[in-house]
Amino acid sequence: MPQGVMTLARYILSRQDTFPDNTGEFSNVMLLIGVAAKTIAWELRRAGLVEDALGLTGEINVQGEQVRKLDDYANEVFLKTFQDTGLVCTIVSEELEGPEHLMQPCTPGSYALLVDPLDGSSNVDMNINTGSIFAIQRRRFCGDDEADLLQAGRKQVAAGYILYGPSTILTFTTGHGVHMFTLDAAIGEFVLSAQSLTIPERGTYYSVNQGNSRRWQPWLRTFLDYLQTEDKASKRPYSLRYVGSLAADIHRTLLIGGIFLYPSDTKSPKGKLRLLYEAAPMAMLLEQAQGQAITDQGEAILDIEPSQIHQRVSVIMGSPYEVGLAQKFLQQSKVPVLG
Ligand code: AHG
Ligand code: MN
Ligand code: MN
């Protein structure tokens, strides 16, 4: 008998015992994320052909950033996909000032979805890779209390991203390894393309917005200078790869190793990336793939107790070897100079 394709639905339904609940509710959340991904991927594919799909809305979001029409579109897709389903109680989105409660009241144990609906949207009008990034938490209390959503990354029950590129890829973890699905346009289904992924122990690329280097802390400049210095024995210099869409930069890092950094700097003293729906989900994926994810102070991103839903954080993540190297440079910078 033919094996048949391992679609997302088949994979999820056949592994319900490894999911946060065994009732099928969480499986449906993941399946609807797949539906939202397909909807957004389709719109992105035809956006250049549709009047009024590209460009800015003229609005500034709660982050102080310009909103693109496709940011708004992707945000609406996530909201509408879960509306009236009774599956997700609360949605926190980069594009929404506060949490959106889809169910009233939320009950303890119900799910919250934290999402960056369109990641890397400054690239979207140029047909360069973008993504969606998500985390799923369990609500601990009833009601609308925002504090309930301020859970450390270790408490995430699932996390993942969708990459909109030459193909559409959905990568997620429920705490049992990292699995990757590629959208097969012929059948309109995500099909398993990699199971239990592990990041290479070390890589040959570093990924950072080098244009900010004069705003960085000195130890980071020293570390990057080391990566760029010729030394055949330790496989240097590293090559630079930077898309400017976190989903794309982490996807590459997950597959071929190396290091991604978005450190704090004099312009963004707390870092640029958002903890709850960018850094923490990517950190969970990387740790599940045997990689590492820390701040530029050396703290594990998954251990940070958030204080605000849109909080920003510095990020250093990737292969164990390169993140370990960064840690050594950080430690070295803390050694007092004697004499
Ligand atoms: P978003 O489009 O969701 O606001 O995210 C943009 C983020 C992230 O995708 C990327 O890693 C980073 O911003 C790029 O920032 P720079 O343009 O400052 O390099
Ligand atoms: Mn983003
Ligand atoms: Mn975004």
Side-chain angles (χ1 to χ4, degrees):
M1 206 173 105
Q3 284 285 301
V5 282
M6 183 55 85
T7 61
L8 180 65
R10 183 177 160 203
Y11 187 87
I12 285 172
L13 295 172
S14 63
R15 280 167 180 74
Q16 256 181 43
D17 55 334
T18 66
F19 286 172
D21 63 45
N22 230 342
T23 62
E25 216 170 290
F26 178 79
S27 303
N28 286 328
V29 173
M30 278 311 304
L31 289 172
L32 285 189
I33 287 176
V35 172
K38 287 191 267 188
T39 312
I40 295 167
W42 173 246
E43 181 69 8
L44 294 180
R45 191 169 317 148
R46 65 195 194 106
L49 302 169
V50 176
E51 208 176 321
D52 244 13
L54 302 178
L56 301 168
T57 61
E59 306 281 305
I60 303 288
N61 69 12
V62 60
Q63 326 277 335
E65 288 162 3
Q66 292 185 316
V67 179
R68 292 188 175 269
K69 290 174 190 162
L70 287 165
D71 280 319
D72 252 2
Y73 176 84
N75 185 53
E76 283 295 306
V77 168
F78 276 100
L79 289 174
K80 293 206 172 111
T81 300
F82 285 97
Q83 208 140 41
D84 304 322
T85 60
L87 288 171
V88 163
C89 183
T90 311
I91 295 190
V92 169
S93 163
E94 181 193 349
E95 304 303 335
L96 299 172
E97 192 167 345
E100 181 86 11
H101 298 291
L102 301 183
M103 287 148 70
Q104 294 282 10
C106 281
T107 50
S110 62
Y111 292 112
L113 171 69
L114 301 99
V115 66
D116 176 355
L118 190 62
D119 170 63
S121 58
S122 70
N123 280 325
V124 78
D125 287 2
M126 282 78 72
N127 194 31
I128 296 171
N129 293 16
T130 53
S132 301
I133 306 171
F134 62 90
I136 297 167
Q137 295 181 355
R138 264 188 204 284
R139 295 291 311 265
R140 295 167 295 187
F141 319 119
C142 289
D144 295 352
D145 190 358
E146 198 171 300
D148 194 22
L149 300 157
L150 302 175
Q151 301 186 28
R154 297 247 178 251
K155 302 237 169 73
Q156 295 169 126
V157 295
Y161 63 82
I162 300 125
L163 179 67
Y164 308 108
S167 42
T168 301
I169 290 179
L170 167 60
T171 304
F172 74 93
T173 182
T174 57
H176 298 270
V178 175
H179 315 300
M180 206 171 264
F181 294 79
T182 302
L183 183 59
D184 181 342
I187 56 171
E189 293 282 353
F190 281 102
V191 174
L192 185 66
S193 43
Q195 199 173 187
S196 304
L197 261 177
T198 53
I199 187 171
E201 163 65 25
R202 65 185 286 182
T204 59
Y205 292 146
Y206 72 98
S207 186
V208 69
N209 185 337
Q210 191 98 38
N212 292 332
S213 64
R214 298 205 178 165
R215 297 175 174 153
W216 296 340
Q217 302 168 60
W219 78 264
L220 268 157
R221 285 203 294 268
T222 313
F223 173 51
L224 269 286
D225 191 52
Y226 173 85
L227 295 181
Q228 294 158 359
T229 306
E230 177 101 36
D231 177 38
K232 283 210 173 67
S234 51
K235 299 182 187 155
R236 290 180 284 134
Y238 281 65
S239 289
L240 169 62
R241 293 286 186 278
Y242 188 69
V243 179
S245 297
L246 183 68
D249 284 315
I250 294 301
H251 181 72
R252 181 197 56 250
T253 307
L254 202 53
L255 290 179
I256 56 171
I259 187 166
F260 171 87
L261 309 96
Y262 210 116
S264 58
D265 60 33
T266 51
K267 185 176 167 219
S268 313
K270 294 188 168 153
K272 177 182 180 190
L273 299 176
R274 277 57 55 111
L275 175 60
L276 289 181
Y277 43 82
E278 289 183 318
M282 291 309 196
M284 182 175 182
L285 283 168
L286 277 158
E287 285 204 5
Q288 280 292 315
Q290 316 302 322
Q292 292 176 11
I294 59 173
T295 67
D296 63 11
Q297 302 297 306
E299 187 180 4
I301 286 174
L302 292 180
D303 289 335
I304 300 173
E305 297 286 346
S307 53
Q308 288 168 5
I309 57 171
H310 296 298
Q311 162 174 354
R312 295 175 191 262
V313 68
S314 61
V315 161
I316 300 178
M317 44 176 77
S319 292
Y321 176 77
E322 282 82 12
V323 178
L325 263 182
Q327 253 160 332
K328 279 188 197 142
F329 277 81
L330 169 64
Q331 290 311 324
Q332 202 63 43
S333 74
K334 291 181 179 161
V335 177
V337 181
L338 299 173

